[in-house]
Amino acid sequence: ETGVTQSPTHLIKTRGQQVTLRCSSQSGHNTVSWYQQALGQGPQFIFQYYREEENGRGNFPPRFSGLQFPNYSSELNVNALELDDSALYLCASSAGNNPEYEKLFFGSGTQLSVL
Amino acid sequence: AQSVAQPEDQVNVAEGNPLTVKCTYSVSGNPYLFWYVQYPNRGLQFLLKYITGDNLVKGSYGFEAEFNKSQTSFHLKKPSALVSDSALYFCAVSPYNQGGKLIFGQGTELSVKP
């Protein structure tokens, strides 16, 4: 088991609502990445935070936003939920000064269902 | 476009036999390459990575992977499969100089039968 914890584990929302997902990174890790994993697909990169600054973003619309706190925990916010947002959302943390090639430690994810 | 391909949705192997899970990639520059494994209802777990140097990389649980630059491949291998190796395997690439963004393949379901 990694030291990355995500909450909640499951969530059901309706279309148009807003949601906040939370992630506590492993102790000593300064980088947090968020991924969306649709059923039967590989994870897709949403964005990454390195020492509280956004360090890269994938092809997701602006209604996906994030935050990293001074203790390196993180939030993912999604506004105006759409049915296609239904997926497993994975948080991953890593240590070191080179996020490009550090191994990621993943949490178990938050399963979001949008009805 | 940058991409990772895992051509087999499923690989079936008998316990004790060698296994190979295939991965090819398409990115510019020299990428960093990874393999992760996902067990049911769990997050992904790191297996191994290639950064530079020896083309044969050894990782966790007896797995290894061979980097082939000319074929742009990074196949995962194990000499003797175990039933407990049954899981979903993901190949991923971190393009050079793009922060920590990982591009994942669609995954390969490995089934090891006794």
Side-chain angles (χ1 to χ4, degrees):
Chain A
E1 293 290 338
T2 72
V4 180
T5 57
Q6 293 186 242
S7 62
T9 54
H10 295 83
L11 201 52
I12 299 175
K13 291 286 189 177
T14 56
R15 195 170 48 181
Q17 284 189 312
Q18 177 267 342
V19 68
T20 297
L21 309 182
R22 294 179 174 84
C23 173
S24 293
S25 57
Q26 186 158 316
S27 178
H29 286 188
N30 53 20
T31 304
V32 172
S33 305
W34 286 92
Y35 288 83
Q36 180 195 67
Q37 187 177 17
L39 193 62
Q41 303 289 323
Q44 288 202 352
F45 178 74
I46 303 175
F47 42 58
Q48 181 186 79
Y49 283 86
Y50 173 56
R51 295 183 174 177
E52 302 180 61
E53 298 287 331
E54 188 176 289
N55 188 44
R57 188 179 179 92
N59 295 325
F60 281 81
R63 59 189 184 85
F64 285 78
S65 63
L67 197 58
Q68 188 179 30
F69 299 101
N71 67 355
Y72 300 135
S73 65
S74 178
E75 286 183 354
L76 165 64
N77 298 290
V78 187
N79 293 322
L81 283 167
E82 301 178 359
L83 297 179
D84 285 348
D85 295 333
S86 296
L88 181 67
Y89 288 83
L90 295 167
C91 169
S93 71
S94 59
N97 297 316
N98 291 287
E100 285 186 1
Y101 55 76
E102 302 295 345
K103 72 178 185 181
L104 300 183
F105 294 77
F106 282 85
S108 297
T110 294
Q111 184 66 54
L112 173 64
S113 298
V114 182
L115 306 178
Chain B
Q2 299 172 332
S3 63
V4 174
Q6 294 180 241
E8 300 152 320
D9 290 337
Q10 185 159 13
V11 170
N12 298 307
V13 177
E15 188 174 31
N17 282 1
L19 69 87
T20 299
V21 183
K22 296 179 180 177
C23 171
T24 59
Y25 64 91
S26 175
V27 297
S28 56
N30 295 317
Y32 306 116
L33 297 158
F34 300 79
W35 276 99
Y36 284 84
V37 59
Q38 187 173 34
Y39 298 99
N41 301 315
R42 302 276 293 276
L44 281 72
Q45 294 181 27
F46 170 84
L47 278 180
L48 51 79
K49 66 179 177 181
Y50 172 81
I51 305 300
T52 186
D54 193 349
N55 289 343
L56 185 64
V57 178
K58 294 189 183 297
S60 307
Y61 314 120
F63 284 93
E64 58 189 28
E66 186 167 12
F67 170 61
N68 187 318
K69 187 173 182 178
S70 63
Q71 297 185 1
T72 61
S73 67
F74 189 55
H75 301 330
L76 181 70
K77 300 180 181 184
K78 187 173 182 181
S80 179
L82 299 173
V83 172
S84 57
D85 292 330
S86 298
L88 187 56
Y89 289 81
F90 289 98
C91 179
V93 60
S94 175
Y96 178 72
N97 211 26
Q98 290 193 28
K101 167 185 178 179
L102 279 184
I103 301 170
F104 283 87
Q106 74 273 25
T108 298
E109 185 79 42
L110 173 66
S111 177
V112 182
K113 293 290 196 297

